[in-house]
C-alpha cells in the first residue's frame, strides 16, 4: 500500500540566518582555496604519474631517499589506496628524450629493495595540462551562464538570480572542501563539479516549478506561506532522491578504489550542499529579492488541475 507523507516545516523562517551561514561557508571556501590551494592532478599540472606495487608495506621516506639519489629530488611520493601501493609524481621533463624516465624511476626504487612492480605510467604534457585547466574553468562558467539564461526564460529573473546564487554557493563549497582535504583535483573531480551543478539545478527547478504552480493555483496566502508550502510538498521527493543518491555515492567512496575517491567525495559534498541550497539559497534568495505573486503572472487555464503529489 502506498503511503504518503506530508510536512509543514517553516523553512523560510530562518532564511536570513541561513544566508549568513551560507555567506560564511563561501568565504571560508574561498579562503581555503586561496591559502591551501588545490591539489591539481596530473591532468592539469602535466608530468609523469607512476604507480608501483609492493609485496609488503612500503616506507615512503626510504623511497623518497632512493628517488633523490637517482636524480628525482622533486618527486612526490604517496601511498595510493593501501600501504603496498605507491604513487610517484614527477614534473614534466625539461630535456628531450625523457621517454625512458619511468624505467629510471623503477631502477631507483629497486635500489631501495622491496621488489617493486610497475603498474601504471601516465604522462601529460605541460601545455595540454594548461589547456585542460583553462577549458575546465570555461566549462563551469559556460554552464552557469546557460543556466542563468534558461531559468530567466523559464521563470523570471528573481528565480534565475536565486538559482545562480545557489550554484555558485555549491561550486565554491565543493571546491573548498577539495582544498581543505587536499583531494586530487583532476578531470574526474571537475566532472563531478559539473554534475553537482546539474543535480542542484534539477532540485531547484522542481521547487521553483511547484512555487509557481501554487502561486497560480491559490488565490490567497502570502509569499512566504506559499513558498513554504511548495518546499514541503516537494520535500519527500527531495529526501528520497538525495538519500538514494548518497547511498550509491558512499558505496562508491568506500569501495570504488582510490581512482574514484575524489570523484565520489566531490559528489557527496555536492549532493548535501545542493539539497540545502535548493531550499535556503535558491528559494531564500528569490524571497529576499522581493518575489511576489504578481511576478509570476498567473495564467488562467480553465479545466486544468494542478498535480499536488510531491
Amino acid at each position: 500500500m502506498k503511503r504518503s507523507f506530508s510536512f509543514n516545516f517553516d523553512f523560510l523562517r530562518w532564511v536570513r540566518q541561513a544566508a549568513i551561514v551560507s555567506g560564511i561557508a563561501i568565504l571560508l571556501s574561498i579562503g581555503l582555496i586561496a591559502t591551501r590551494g588545490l591539489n591539481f592532478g596530473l591532468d592539469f599540472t602535466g608530468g609523469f604519474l607512476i604507480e608501483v606495487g609492493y609485496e609488503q608495506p612500503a616506507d615512503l621516506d626510504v623511497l623518497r631517499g632512493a628517488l633523490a639519489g637517482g636524480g628525482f629530488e622533486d618527486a612526490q611520493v604517496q601511498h595510493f589506496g593501501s600501504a603496498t601501493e605507491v604513487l610517484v609524481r614527477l614534473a614534466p621533463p625539461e630535456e628531450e628524450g625523457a621517454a625512458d624516465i619511468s624505467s629510471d624511476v623503477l631502477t631507483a626504487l629497486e635500489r631501495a629493495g622491496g621488489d617493486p612492480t610497475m603498474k601504471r605510467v601516465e604522462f601529460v604534457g605541460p601545455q595540454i595540462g594548461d589547456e585542460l585547466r583553462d577549458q575546465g574553468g570555461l566549462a563551469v562558467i559556460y554552464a552557469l551562464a546557460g543556466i542563468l539564461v534558461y531559468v530567466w526564460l523559464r521563470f523570471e529573473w528573481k528565480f534565475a538570480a536565486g538559482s545562480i546564487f545557489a550554484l555558485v554557493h555549491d561550486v565554491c563549497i565543493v571546491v573548498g572542501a577539495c582544498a581543505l582535504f587536499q583531494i586530487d583535483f583532476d578531470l574526474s573531480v571537475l566532472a563531478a563539479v559539473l554534475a553537482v551543478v546539474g543535480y542542484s539545478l534539477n532540485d531547484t527547478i522542481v521547487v521553483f516549478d511547484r512555487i509557481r504552480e501554487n502561486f497560480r493555483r491559490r488565490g490567497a496566502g502570502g509569499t512566504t506561506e506559499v513558498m513554504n508550502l511548495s518546499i514541503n510538498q516537494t520535500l519527500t521527493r527531495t529526501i528520497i532522491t538525495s538519500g538514494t543518491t548518497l547511498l550509491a555515492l558512499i558505496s562508491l567512496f568506500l569501495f570504488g578504489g582510490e581512482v574514484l575517491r575524489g570523484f565520489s567525495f566531490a559528489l557527496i559534498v555536492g549532493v548535501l550542499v545542493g539539497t540545502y541550497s535548493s531550499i535556503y539559497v535558491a528559494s531564500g534568495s528569490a524571497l529576499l529579492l522581493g518575489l511576489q505573486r504578481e511576478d509570476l503572472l498567473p495564467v488562467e487555464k480553465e479545466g486544468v488541475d494542478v498535480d499536488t503529489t510531491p
Side-chain angles (χ1 to χ4, degrees), residues 56-97:
Q56 300 295 328
D59 188 328
L60 296 184
D61 290 334
V62 173
L63 298 184
R64 291 190 184 101
L67 288 170
F72 302 105
E73 293 84 358
D74 297 330
Q76 298 179 22
V77 185
Q78 65 184 94
H79 288 304
F80 186 69
S82 69
T84 59
E85 305 291 327
V86 174
L87 208 60
V88 179
R89 297 174 186 271
L90 298 170
E94 297 179 356
E95 300 176 359
E96 296 293 335

Side-chain angles (χ1 to χ4, degrees), residues 103 134 190 217 238 246 254 261:
S103 299
D134 294 342
L190 178 63
R217 186 168 61 89
T238 300
L246 280 174
L254 294 177
R261 189 142 299 165

Side-chain angles (χ1 to χ4, degrees), residues 37-45 89 133 183-186:
L38 292 173
N39 183 22
F40 284 115
L42 184 71
D43 297 333
F44 297 127
T45 61
R89 297 174 186 271
R133 185 171 53 197
I183 300 295
D184 280 352
F185 200 91
D186 53 18

Side-chain angles (χ1 to χ4, degrees), residues 266-277:
L267 280 175
I268 288 172
V269 176
V271 168
L272 290 173
V273 298
T275 302
Y276 159 83
S277 70

Side-chain angles (χ1 to χ4, degrees), residues 15-304:
V15 65
R16 296 186 185 279
Q17 293 87 338
I20 294 173
V21 171
S22 296
I24 293 173
I26 291 174
L27 290 177
L28 285 176
S29 298
I30 293 174
L32 285 168
I33 296 168
T35 55
R36 291 178 64 87
L38 292 173
N39 183 22
F40 284 115
L42 184 71
D43 297 333
F44 297 127
T45 61
F48 277 93
L49 186 149
I50 301 168
E51 181 183 350
V52 295
Y54 288 86
E55 294 291 335
Q56 300 295 328
D59 188 328
L60 296 184
D61 290 334
V62 173
L63 298 184
R64 291 190 184 101
L67 288 170
F72 302 105
E73 293 84 358
D74 297 330
Q76 298 179 22
V77 185
Q78 65 184 94
H79 288 304
F80 186 69
S82 69
T84 59
E85 305 291 327
V86 174
L87 208 60
V88 179
R89 297 174 186 271
L90 298 170
E94 297 179 356
E95 300 176 359
E96 296 293 335
D100 294 331
I101 195 169
S102 59
S103 299
D104 296 338
V105 168
L106 185 61
T107 300
L109 294 175
E110 287 174 342
R111 293 196 190 101
D115 192 21
T117 303
M118 185 76 71
K119 290 194 169 184
R120 176 167 57 115
V121 178
E122 295 181 9
F123 173 72
V124 176
Q127 184 175 357
I128 295 176
D130 290 342
E131 289 178 0
L132 289 174
R133 185 171 53 197
D134 294 342
Q135 291 174 359
L138 288 174
V140 175
I141 294 173
Y142 291 154
L144 293 177
I147 289 166
L148 174 65
V149 173
Y150 167 75
V151 179
W152 194 330
L153 295 176
R154 182 79 169 78
F155 296 93
E156 60 97 45
W157 75 269
K158 291 171 186 172
F159 276 161
S163 65
I164 291 301
F165 289 156
L167 295 180
V168 171
H169 166 274
D170 298 347
V171 169
C172 281
I173 292 179
V174 170
V175 176
C178 291
L180 175 63
F181 294 103
Q182 288 295 287
I183 300 295
D184 280 352
F185 200 91
D186 53 18
L187 284 178
S188 66
V189 177
L190 178 63
V193 172
L194 290 172
V196 167
V197 170
Y199 180 90
S200 177
L201 179 67
N202 180 60
D203 221 22
T204 300
I205 292 298
V206 170
V207 176
F208 281 176
D209 203 43
R210 184 53 57 93
I211 290 173
R212 183 174 59 180
E213 287 180 2
N214 281 332
F215 267 129
R216 293 178 176 179
R217 186 168 61 89
R218 294 167 61 91
T223 302
T224 303
E225 180 186 348
V226 173
M227 293 181 76
N228 264 325
L229 173 67
S230 306
I231 294 171
N232 278 291
Q233 286 178 344
T234 57
L235 190 59
T236 301
R237 176 258 177 209
T238 300
I239 292 173
I240 292 174
T241 304
S242 301
T244 51
T245 304
L246 280 174
L247 285 176
L249 291 174
I250 291 172
S251 298
L252 198 63
F253 180 80
L254 294 177
F255 308 113
E258 195 67 28
V259 174
L260 294 176
R261 189 142 299 165
F263 175 80
S264 53
F265 172 83
L267 280 175
I268 288 172
V269 176
V271 168
L272 290 173
V273 298
T275 302
Y276 159 83
S277 70
S278 65
I279 297 174
Y280 281 107
V281 181
S283 302
S285 297
L287 180 65
L288 293 176
L289 287 171
L291 181 73
Q292 299 293 329
R293 180 188 304 276
E294 292 73 17
D295 294 328
L296 298 175
L297 297 177
V299 177
E300 297 292 339
K301 294 183 179 180
E302 296 182 1
V304 177

